[in-house]
Amino acid sequence: LQRLHLRPARTLRVIAWMDEETGGAGAKAYATEYSNDLARHVAAIESDSGAAHPLGFNVKAAPAAVDALRPIQSVLLSIGATAFEPTTYSPGADIAPISDAGVPTFGVMQDGRKYFDYHHSAADTLDKVVPAELRENAAAMAVLAYALTNMKDPLPR
């Protein structure tokens, strides 16, 4: 977004934390610290399934929210990340506390056929990341984030 000189109309916050596997303290702390502001959070996006080719997003949001985002599917078509799959559970452990508070949430849905070949093993190293697929993931999240920050109205809850 910065390289393209795009200015989001709303605040775009990027958060990085760890410890999902050891109790999710970061996610819980964020939800607690910002509990009074969660009503103003438009959405949250999580990427925690590796860096394989993105297929789209799992979405925990009102059906009208998914419909409101249909126009960005044409932008994501060039990388094949057009799926918006509704789900009834949080699409990511790190955003589960704010998802439970009603914030619409999105999880990058990826081609996970090789994910568990390396996940949490000694072979789970950066050399396994395919740079082009990592760029596709970043692009998919940037497109969704920019759309969310520039929608006239926030997503329905």
Side-chain angles (χ1 to χ4, degrees), residues 120-139:
H120 289 255
S121 74
D124 193 356
T125 54
L126 285 175
D127 62 307
K128 308 304 184 301
V129 174
V130 177
E133 291 178 347
L134 181 60
R135 285 191 298 274
E136 290 173 342
N137 275 277

Side-chain angles (χ1 to χ4, degrees), residues 91-147:
D94 292 318
I95 56 176
I98 62 175
S99 180
D100 292 344
V103 175
T105 50
F106 300 82
V108 180
M109 188 170 50
Q110 297 164 334
D111 178 354
R113 290 178 288 180
K114 296 181 181 178
Y115 182 63
F116 287 102
D117 291 351
Y118 304 106
H119 180 65
H120 289 255
S121 74
D124 193 356
T125 54
L126 285 175
D127 62 307
K128 308 304 184 301
V129 174
V130 177
E133 291 178 347
L134 181 60
R135 285 191 298 274
E136 290 173 342
N137 275 277
M141 287 189 291
V143 167
L144 178 58
Y146 187 73

